[in-house]
Amino acid sequence: MLLILLAYLGGALTILSPCILPVLPFVFARTGQPFVRSGLPMLAGMALTFALVATLAAVGGGWVVQANQYGRWLAMALMAFFGLTLMLPHLADRLTKPLVALGDKLSNKAQASDATTDSAWSGARASFLLGIATGLLWAPCAGPVLGLVLTGAALNGASAGTTLLLLAYAAGAATSLALALLIGGKVFSAMKRSLGAGEWIRRGLGVAMLGGVAAIASGLDTGLLTRVSTVATAGLEQKLIDKLSPRDPQGDAMRGSGAMMAGGAMMSRTAMTGKGPAMMAMHGAAPADDALPVEGKLPPLTGAVDWLNSAPLTAAQLKGKVVLVDFWTYSCINCLRTMPYVKAWAEKYRDQGLVVIGVHAPEFAFERDVGNVRKAIKDLGITYPVAVDNDYAIWRAFGNQYWPAHYFIDAKGQIRHHHFGEGEYAQSEQVIQQLLEEAGHKDVANTVVSAEDAKGVQQAADMGQVASPETYLGYERARNFASPEGQATDKARSYTVPSQPALNQWGLAGNWLSQPDQVTLSQGMGRIVYRFHARDLHLVLGPGKDGKPVRFRVTIDGAAPGTSHGTDVGADGSGTITGQRLYQLVRQSGSVADRTFSIEFLDPGVQAYAFTFG
């Protein structure tokens, strides 16, 4: 109920967003007509259409997105035609005569209004059809609340819950528009009475409708207005999220790359789907006593697009084995830092009945490439089975929420323990030992492994020094962007870096194409600058579509990093991007302080995704 309320309030705030402007003329075109028979059906059609299309599109239905594009063009043609009828009643009278009969069929109670022009559009059914067209055209700004809902839909699939949340969001927007329509109708009626300007108002609405069609056709609603809107309402939406769905500070600290960021808001996917088979607290440590509760059953491990290092495994095949299921993705820094322990457990307890299964659930598009995953597990030295869960089938079956996530299953196929995020490795290993003993294995070791000698990105973070958050560079989830030009959407733009970025601000220099989940250097040389505070700085990078290596040079406070260079950088700051992965660029050797990081790319085509720190 809290999420439904949150979605409703987020939708209601849409009225404050500039991106609602192209839709307002379509709404106000119904002023002067009975609200119950005209305005209300239109808003209902708009809300229902948006909820349906957004549900299907959010879960990756490419055909839905393509069909919606055709629907948008048909809707724009319809709205443009309606705008012309408002502007040119005499011409409209001739054009609409063939449609009058159709209009009468659409509404049994069609009312004549102002001129014959309106007869084809009068009545509740006709208004509902106009609402459907408006719903196809409406592209609400993806602020924190809508981003949270859409991200949940993408990860958890189409469901009644997803549609209900989107419907609540649309209902909130419809409520705001209904109030605006009621107030606007009274204002227009007063103007008609006092000024006798009904015909001019009518024509003005027609001009406004054509302007709305032009704005939508040119992409203004999803481009400039969306960016302005995010600035206008994100703060209010974030306060709602924090109030109704407060964050767990401990959880935030451990999620890192593993948490989906939606418009700046941390998202709990359990709240979106209800609890899965593992009905558990967010962050579990081994119980104080020896009794490990039964938290659920191991779900079917079906739905993976491929299995690496093994033939496909099923829950039935694993009966009699103690199983550790590790959800991870190869560019997630938190996952990489847990990897030395998971690999050590797989090796240490393999002969005593432990089976470790990695479930690779991608965050970025390039992590869906099975070839990239295969290379990553080879580079990381992973020899246990890995299920490539590109469609999040296993993820959803577990009701999982985070990267990394560890589920511990006993020999009876029961989930007995879980752990989300980094840390508590000794407790997790003790759970493995206890489950092996329960399964009847003798002489189970009671020592625990240590990964103090882990190197590079797999070394534990110095969390006491981390004052910079994970930062996405694609415009959908970007925060603290400080280049004076402002971040464009889906187009190339020349940028200049901020002269004095504040802590955790970042900027671009050069010609960059900004896309939803990445920025791409379009031509020539370019630079990314970030003011950070942490021992380690990582950046998820990849070469261009042609796969050619990209050379780069790193500086810290304007100088070569020297002994503070990361594992993917030389002491002089030089390095090369050869694949799509996480690169460690800084590991400070001395005291940790606020530093200005800069990476200059000497070749075009580089793709940059997200900063993480440790």
Side-chain angles (χ1 to χ4, degrees):
M1 289 303 298
L2 284 178
L3 276 175
I4 292 173
L5 176 61
L6 179 63
Y8 178 84
L9 293 175
L13 288 175
T14 301
I15 194 69
L16 303 177
S17 304
C19 68
I20 202 68
L21 292 177
V23 172
L24 288 178
F26 310 147
V27 176
F28 285 133
R30 312 310 289 167
T31 56
Q33 300 183 32
F35 176 75
V36 173
R37 286 195 297 107
S38 180
L40 187 59
M42 178 185 181
L43 294 173
M46 174 180 134
L48 289 171
T49 303
F50 166 76
L52 176 61
V53 173
T55 300
L56 296 176
V59 297
W63 64 272
V64 176
V65 177
Q66 185 176 11
N68 187 52
Q69 288 303 313
Y70 295 130
R72 281 171 63 87
W73 283 108
L74 288 173
M76 281 187 278
L78 177 68
M79 292 304 187
F81 175 73
F82 187 36
L84 286 174
T85 66
L86 292 173
M87 290 176 56
L88 307 169
H90 297 295
L91 174 62
D93 187 32
R94 293 203 272 310
L95 291 174
T96 58
K97 276 183 179 179
L99 300 176
V100 171
L102 176 61
D104 289 336
K105 290 180 182 179
L106 290 173
S107 174
N108 294 327
K109 298 180 179 180
Q111 301 286 327
S113 63
D114 289 343
T116 342
T117 306
D118 292 331
S119 62
W121 310 102
S122 59
R125 294 182 184 178
S127 293
F128 185 75
L129 290 178
L130 285 175
I132 291 175
T134 307
L136 291 172
L137 296 177
W138 180 36
C141 303
V145 172
L146 182 58
L148 185 152
V149 174
L150 292 178
T151 303
L155 286 173
N156 297 310
S159 66
T162 291
T163 302
L164 182 61
L165 287 172
L166 288 166
L167 190 58
Y169 184 93
T175 301
S176 297
L177 290 172
L179 292 174
L181 181 56
L182 288 170
I183 296 171
K186 292 180 180 180
V187 171
F188 287 167
S189 296
M191 291 177 65
K192 286 182 180 181
R193 288 194 301 269
S194 61
L195 301 178
E199 186 62 32
W200 287 105
I201 292 174
R202 174 193 178 91
R203 292 180 179 178
L205 285 172
V207 171
M209 286 192 70
L210 291 178
V213 169
I216 292 170
S218 64
L220 186 63
D221 60 331
T222 56
L224 174 63
L225 293 181
T226 301
R227 296 303 300 163
V228 174
S229 166
T230 300
V231 174
T233 63
L236 292 173
E237 294 187 29
Q238 188 59 58
K239 287 180 181 178
L240 283 174
I241 291 171
D242 293 340
K243 185 73 174 177
L244 297 179
S245 183
R247 304 179 189 180
D248 175 359
Q250 187 181 28
D252 283 358
M254 66 185 173
R255 295 170 200 169
S257 182
M260 286 297 294
M261 296 291 296
M266 278 289 182
M267 184 178 132
S268 171
R269 292 191 227 8
T270 295
M272 299 292 298
T273 60
K275 294 180 180 179
M279 295 181 285
M280 55 196 71
M282 177 177 292
H283 186 76
D289 55 25
D290 291 336
L292 291 171
V294 175
E295 298 176 341
K297 290 185 177 181
L298 173 63
L301 300 175
T302 55
V305 300
D306 202 352
W307 282 78
L308 305 177
N309 294 340
S310 168
L313 297 174
T314 66
Q317 289 175 305
L318 294 168
K319 281 288 182 67
K321 299 286 188 179
V322 173
V323 180
L324 168 60
V325 176
D326 172 26
F327 285 91
W328 70 296
T329 186
Y330 81 82
S331 74
C332 163
I333 184 61
N334 310 84
C335 303
L336 293 173
R337 289 195 289 245
T338 64
M339 197 60 65
Y341 293 93
V342 177
K343 290 192 299 181
W345 296 334
E347 180 67 24
K348 181 177 179 180
Y349 299 104
R350 179 175 54 201
D351 294 336
Q352 296 180 339
L354 176 68
V355 176
V356 175
I357 299 174
V359 178
H360 187 275
E363 180 176 12
F364 297 113
F366 64 81
E367 292 173 313
R368 293 177 176 273
D369 187 320
V370 177
N372 285 347
V373 180
R374 183 176 287 108
K375 183 179 186 304
I377 66 174
K378 180 181 179 181
D379 293 343
L380 292 168
I382 296 173
T383 58
Y384 50 79
V386 174
V388 182
D389 194 28
N390 282 354
D391 297 326
Y392 299 97
I394 302 175
W395 177 290
R396 289 197 296 269
F398 272 84
N400 186 47
Q401 302 179 66
Y402 310 108
W403 296 274
H406 298 148
Y407 295 88
F408 300 82
I409 295 94
D410 66 17
K412 298 178 181 178
Q414 303 172 128
I415 299 174
R416 300 287 299 281
H417 186 62
H418 68 279
H419 184 271
F420 301 148
E422 301 177 46
E424 298 186 359
Y425 301 110
Q427 293 94 322
S428 293
E429 187 169 358
Q430 287 164 5
V431 169
I432 295 173
Q433 294 168 357
Q434 180 172 334
L435 295 181
L436 288 172
E437 289 174 350
E438 287 183 8
H441 295 284
K442 306 297 183 182
D443 301 324
V444 177
N446 58 8
T447 58
V448 296
V449 301
S450 172
E452 293 180 357
D453 58 346
K455 304 295 183 183
V457 296
Q458 297 188 32
Q459 185 175 338
D462 185 358
M463 295 307 298
Q465 293 291 346
V466 176
S468 292
E470 181 178 31
T471 302
Y472 291 86
L473 305 188
Y475 66 78
E476 269 192 353
R477 292 184 278 173
R479 302 185 74 182
N480 300 323
F481 183 70
S483 287
E485 295 80 9
Q487 193 169 15
T489 57
D490 294 315
K491 63 180 180 181
R493 172 178 291 177
S494 293
Y495 295 93
T496 54
V497 295
S499 56
Q500 292 183 320
L503 181 64
N504 298 329
Q505 286 188 334
W506 64 282
L508 302 170
N511 192 279
W512 292 83
L513 169 64
S514 183
Q515 296 175 285
D517 67 343
Q518 63 171 284
V519 292
T520 301
L521 182 58
S522 302
Q523 58 189 23
M525 298 168 60
R527 192 156 54 107
I528 304 176
V529 170
Y530 194 115
R531 183 75 171 169
F532 77 104
H533 186 111
R535 184 194 68 191
D536 303 337
L537 178 147
H538 314 96
L539 183 55
V540 179
L541 297 164
K545 293 181 179 179
D546 58 8
K548 293 181 178 179
V550 176
R551 299 166 298 154
F552 65 82
R553 183 168 52 240
V554 164
T555 60
I556 303 174
D557 292 337
T563 56
S564 292
H565 68 91
T567 54
D568 294 299
V569 182
D572 62 351
S574 63
T576 304
I577 299 164
T578 56
Q580 295 168 310
R581 62 179 178 86
L582 180 142
Y583 289 77
Q584 186 183 84
L585 303 176
V586 175
R587 167 155 287 168
Q588 295 194 59
S589 58
S591 61
V592 175
D594 292 1
R595 308 287 187 190
T596 298
F597 164 84
S598 174
I599 180 168
E600 183 178 19
F601 301 99
L602 308 181
D603 306 296
V606 64
Q607 299 173 335
Y609 294 84
F611 282 98
T612 57
F613 302 90

